[in-house]
Amino acid sequence: MASEAVRTRVWRYDFILHNGFCLETCLESAMPCGIGRKFGAVFASIPAPIFAALYCVLFAYVGSAGLSFLQFCNLNSFRTKFILGFSVFMGLSVPQYFNEYTSVAGHGPVDTGARWFNDIVNVIFSSKPFVAGLVAYFLDNTLHRHDSNARKDRGDHWWHKFRSYKGDPRTDEFYKLPFNLNKFFPSV
């Protein structure tokens, strides 16, 4: 019995000592944990005005990148103007209604027996970008979807050649990974 316990201890020691990959992996995963607090301290030391300025600049950049997709749409079409205007209006008004209702009643407009369901729906519909995107997606996919003029207004003719990865010869060049990593991570 004692010799078996010694053999087990020796096997464990031998396994841990000679399995360098396991040890290296543990050390490599533990090192960022010690450095993580330092990065958190750097971000916490940024003054609030500088953080607010960075937030404004980055928000404007991300918003403009999202709006750049409208260049493919026909912005002279009543259909496109209606979808944009109505979705922005609903994206501003519905979350405001949810927030006002919650502040007055103490709970959101959705009040069923299941609190988890109430929280999910109330949080989702309190988000302005989500409501605007949902309304725009719904209207864009329902209003005269199969009409040929509506397809041109939506910009489908621009995106048609990019539906398949091999649809355009420039795709490989555009999505090429740096340092010739494409041979290790091939495209689909």
Side-chain angles (χ1 to χ4, degrees):
M1 184 95 171
S3 66
E4 188 167 318
V6 169
R7 265 193 307 222
T8 305
R9 266 192 240 129
V10 168
W11 180 81
R12 285 184 188 157
Y13 175 75
D14 193 40
F15 177 76
I16 292 172
L17 184 66
H18 294 295
N19 192 352
F21 178 74
C22 178
L23 190 61
E24 285 178 20
T25 306
C26 291
L27 289 173
E28 288 171 358
S29 63
M31 284 172 44
C33 294
I35 298 171
R37 291 184 178 172
K38 306 295 184 205
F39 287 121
V42 168
F43 288 127
S45 67
I46 297 174
I50 293 174
F51 185 75
L54 284 173
Y55 182 77
C56 291
V57 169
L58 293 176
F59 181 78
Y61 186 70
V62 169
S64 66
L67 289 175
S68 71
F69 285 111
L70 293 177
Q71 69 181 327
F72 301 110
C73 298
N74 181 8
L75 294 176
N76 292 325
S77 166
F78 176 75
R79 177 186 177 277
T80 307
K81 289 179 188 177
F82 174 75
I83 291 172
L84 284 173
F86 190 73
S87 63
V88 168
F89 173 74
M90 293 305 285
L92 293 173
S93 62
V94 170
Q96 185 65 29
Y97 169 73
F98 270 72
N99 292 334
E100 292 290 329
Y101 193 98
T102 303
S103 65
V104 171
H107 56 81
V110 178
D111 192 21
T112 62
R115 183 180 166 140
W116 62 270
F117 179 75
N118 299 344
D119 291 343
I120 289 172
V121 174
N122 288 327
V123 166
I124 285 175
F125 285 100
S126 295
S127 169
K128 294 174 181 160
F130 177 80
V131 173
L134 180 71
V135 171
Y137 179 80
F138 176 76
L139 291 176
D140 193 38
N141 288 312
T142 54
L143 291 178
H144 307 290
R145 181 174 180 207
H146 297 293
D147 184 23
S148 64
N149 289 332
R151 289 179 60 84
K152 287 182 183 175
D153 290 346
R154 294 176 71 192
D156 279 353
H157 61 288
W158 291 102
W159 294 104
H160 183 70
K161 61 183 170 187
F162 298 109
R163 289 188 196 271
S164 171
Y165 185 80
K166 299 293 184 188
D168 193 321
R170 297 173 292 177
T171 308
D172 277 334
E173 180 184 343
F174 185 74
Y175 290 110
K176 190 170 88 171
L177 295 173
F179 307 117
N180 204 15
L181 291 174
N182 280 2
K183 65 179 168 184
F184 300 112
F185 303 104
S187 302
V188 178

